[in-house]
Amino acid sequence: MLLGLASCAETNLSSSDIYKIGCPAVDAAAGGGSAVSRVTVAGLKKLSESGKLDPEPQRWLDAVISMLDSEDPKNAPDDVQKLIKDGCAKNGHPLQNLDAA
């Protein structure tokens, strides 16, 4: 599912779709697994730059991108982690591997 994101970026994804894609990517990165696919991050960036998202999902997506682009995603600032965790939980995708307060 994550690998298909780049091609899906051209379609009309809903705000809930970004959580279906972003939350597993965050969980994988925070869990110390292999690096998140560059294709996934590129697709998320395309969605962010599309201008089609409402302010709340846009802010969440930008936080996810900054976390996935960082050297150590698990050590993202607490406010970024909280924003991401809250967004995932609110949209039915609670995270397993992110330990924000």
Side-chain angles (χ1 to χ4, degrees):
M1 181 167 110
L2 295 179
L3 293 178
L5 180 60
S7 60
C8 293
E10 300 303 321
T11 65
N12 292 326
L13 290 176
S14 70
S15 292
S16 65
D17 290 334
I18 67 166
Y19 296 98
K20 288 179 191 172
I21 297 164
C23 295
V26 166
D27 233 6
S34 59
V36 174
S37 165
R38 288 184 182 175
V39 173
T40 301
V41 176
L44 291 172
K45 286 180 179 179
K46 259 186 162 175
L47 286 170
S48 177
E49 295 164 0
S50 73
K52 296 179 181 178
L53 296 173
D54 289 332
E56 183 179 335
Q58 181 70 54
R59 189 170 48 253
W60 180 87
L61 184 57
D62 290 342
V64 167
I65 292 167
S66 71
M67 179 184 189
L68 295 177
D69 269 349
S70 72
E71 294 277 327
D72 187 2
K74 197 162 187 166
N75 286 322
D78 287 346
D79 59 330
V80 170
Q81 289 188 39
K82 182 169 180 5
L83 175 66
I84 293 169
K85 274 188 85 166
D86 290 350
C88 288
K90 180 179 171 184
N91 288 279
H93 304 283
L95 298 175
Q96 306 284 322
N97 297 318
L98 197 59
D99 298 323

